[in-house]
Amino acid sequence: MSDGLLEMARDYFQNRIAPQAARIDHNPIALQSALQGMGERCLLALRVPKEWGGAGWEERTYQQFQILGARYSGALTFLQTQHQSAANQLATSSNQDLKKLYLPKMARGEKLVGVGFSQLRRPGEPMMKAFPVTGGYQLCGQVPWVTGWGFFEDFIIGATLLDGRSLYGLLPLQALPGLQCSPPMKLLSMSGTNTVSLTIQDYFLSRDFIVSLQPAAAIEASDQKNVLHHGFHALGCAWAGLDVIFAVYRQKGLESLKNAHQQLEKALLSCQEKMLNSHQASFAEKLHWRGRAINLALQCAQGAVIASGGAANIIDHPAGRVYREALQFSVSGQTSAVMENSLGQLLWLGGQCYD
């Protein structure tokens, strides 16, 4: 069943999404339609257990899906990933009423939910705080990044309690008393996803909408465990760059393009195999392959630009879009360890140029 659903996703991305990838990148209406199409195909709660309406996919199948989606539309992949992440968090929640209310509808795209907890990774004074009050918690602070304004009805917020624990709760993603939203940010990449920041002042979160309470530093442990997670998007982006190079080669027939494609493809296949079969790998090994995937996305995207020549600078050209997506996937879910490893590999790739 999972293989059939994966093939359905492949058909949808290749035949319905790829031809309009440039429009989806910057047009929220086109992006909304593409997201709705995923809901109609039950592709929006892929790791949620079947008893809650999801597909119940194992991790490897979902990783293949991540690669596939990022190959054909970075904007759609980035947006729906927020929803998939929220669905996963709800699926592991002990709040049974909230799960019954949301999960089956999330699987079908009838309820769309985003996330806003990257601030929990930031060192120093917590940006978003939660204070216990009668019946729930009072929230105060800043959420610097929430993707999906106008797409998602709600989002899962992350806030820090006085004892260092993290609270995750479900909030409406709309302008309400206590919730002040910025205009959508003018981003270089995937601007159609409508990323905003929120200022929250004395907002009451009822205990009925609490998703979970996590120990201090839980997000750091999760980031280490799932260090490869965002790397599969980078792999998909790298394949997108190779697709552009190959298309130009078929048009021009230049041997240099063929050689570049073959060498980059060989490196990409090796990295992908390591990442898909990394169950017994150490954290250091996984970190290495995450950094390798990031640098391959950048290399393949740059190769696509160089192969395409000046045409790559046209706003709707696939090479330019993939180049911008490589930027986004280089920093998605970034931690200090990922940044340091990615930079280290970038310098290593430069070789003697940096001696």
Side-chain angles (χ1 to χ4, degrees):
M1 178 62 180
S2 62
D3 289 344
L5 197 57
L6 186 61
E7 286 309 308
M8 180 192 295
R10 188 186 308 277
D11 177 74
Y12 181 63
F13 286 129
Q14 289 180 340
N15 297 313
R16 300 290 295 275
I17 300 303
Q20 54 173 333
R23 184 164 174 257
I24 289 171
D25 181 59
H26 57 75
N27 187 314
I29 295 175
L31 182 54
Q32 178 73 56
S33 177
L35 187 65
Q36 182 180 349
M38 291 187 65
E40 292 168 354
R41 291 162 177 81
C42 298
L43 294 170
L44 289 178
L46 295 174
R47 288 180 291 170
V48 172
K50 292 181 180 180
E51 68 249 36
W52 292 106
W57 276 6
E58 60 182 22
E59 195 64 25
R60 182 184 174 91
T61 306
Y62 185 70
Q63 291 165 352
Q64 293 171 318
F65 170 82
Q66 288 177 285
I67 296 169
L68 184 66
R71 184 171 186 169
Y72 296 106
S73 173
L76 177 58
T77 294
F78 188 68
L79 183 67
Q80 64 87 33
T81 294
Q82 317 298 308
H83 178 86
Q84 302 269 10
S85 177
N88 278 358
Q89 282 204 308
L90 278 168
T92 58
S93 173
S94 60
N95 190 331
Q96 299 299 312
D97 291 338
L98 207 56
K99 291 163 76 169
K100 291 175 185 177
L101 180 62
Y102 274 82
L103 283 177
K105 292 183 178 181
M106 288 179 71
R108 298 188 296 268
E110 295 171 7
K111 275 189 178 294
L112 297 172
V113 182
V115 295
F117 47 76
S118 64
Q119 63 274 5
L120 295 177
R121 296 187 177 96
R122 300 196 179 192
E125 186 71 14
M127 295 186 67
M128 175 56 58
K129 298 179 180 179
F131 304 94
V133 294
T134 302
Y137 291 84
Q138 189 177 58
L139 304 179
C140 295
Q142 301 283 330
V143 183
W145 302 95
V146 182
T147 294
W149 177 265
F151 297 98
F152 299 145
E153 301 172 40
D154 307 283
F155 76 105
I156 296 178
I157 192 172
T160 304
L161 295 166
L162 291 176
D163 60 7
R165 290 181 299 158
S166 297
L167 174 146
Y168 293 86
L170 203 61
L171 265 67
L173 186 52
Q174 53 186 291
L176 292 171
L179 297 178
Q180 182 180 351
C181 178
S182 75
M185 299 178 191
K186 295 181 179 180
L187 302 178
L188 181 64
S189 175
M190 308 179 194
S191 59
T193 59
N194 287 355
T195 297
V196 299
S197 62
L198 291 174
T199 300
I200 300 179
Q201 184 64 41
D202 297 333
Y203 185 87
F204 175 68
L205 173 68
S206 167
R207 65 163 59 97
D208 295 336
F209 289 93
I210 294 172
V211 176
S212 67
L213 291 170
Q214 299 292 334
I219 194 167
E220 288 87 350
S222 177
D223 285 341
Q224 182 165 336
K225 178 183 176 183
N226 300 313
V227 65
L228 284 177
H229 182 73
H230 291 279
F232 293 99
H233 291 156
L235 290 179
C237 184
W239 282 114
L242 287 186
D243 289 341
V244 175
I245 295 172
F246 189 72
V248 179
Y249 163 67
R250 291 183 65 181
Q251 179 186 3
K252 297 183 177 180
L254 297 176
E255 195 67 18
S256 57
L257 292 171
K258 180 181 178 180
N259 290 338
H261 182 275
Q262 288 179 339
Q263 291 186 50
L264 288 168
E265 182 183 50
K266 182 179 179 181
L268 182 54
L269 284 170
S270 174
C271 182
Q272 180 171 290
E273 180 183 6
K274 294 289 187 181
M275 288 175 62
L276 288 172
N277 296 284
S278 62
H279 317 293
Q280 305 300 322
S282 66
F283 171 70
E285 290 171 316
K286 292 179 180 179
L287 185 62
H288 170 80
W289 291 112
R290 167 80 175 272
R292 185 75 176 112
I294 288 171
N295 278 286
L296 278 168
L298 293 167
Q299 286 178 285
C300 293
Q302 186 176 16
V305 169
I306 292 170
S308 301
N313 202 29
I314 298 173
I315 190 66
D316 285 342
H317 196 282
R321 175 179 56 80
V322 172
Y323 193 75
R324 296 191 302 272
E325 290 173 357
L327 178 155
Q328 176 65 49
F329 292 136
S330 295
V331 297
S332 296
Q334 187 186 71
T335 63
S336 296
V338 170
M339 180 190 69
E340 290 170 5
N341 188 277
S342 303
L343 283 174
Q345 292 199 44
L346 176 66
L347 296 175
W348 177 82
L349 288 167
Q352 60 184 7
C353 297
Y354 297 100
D355 288 343

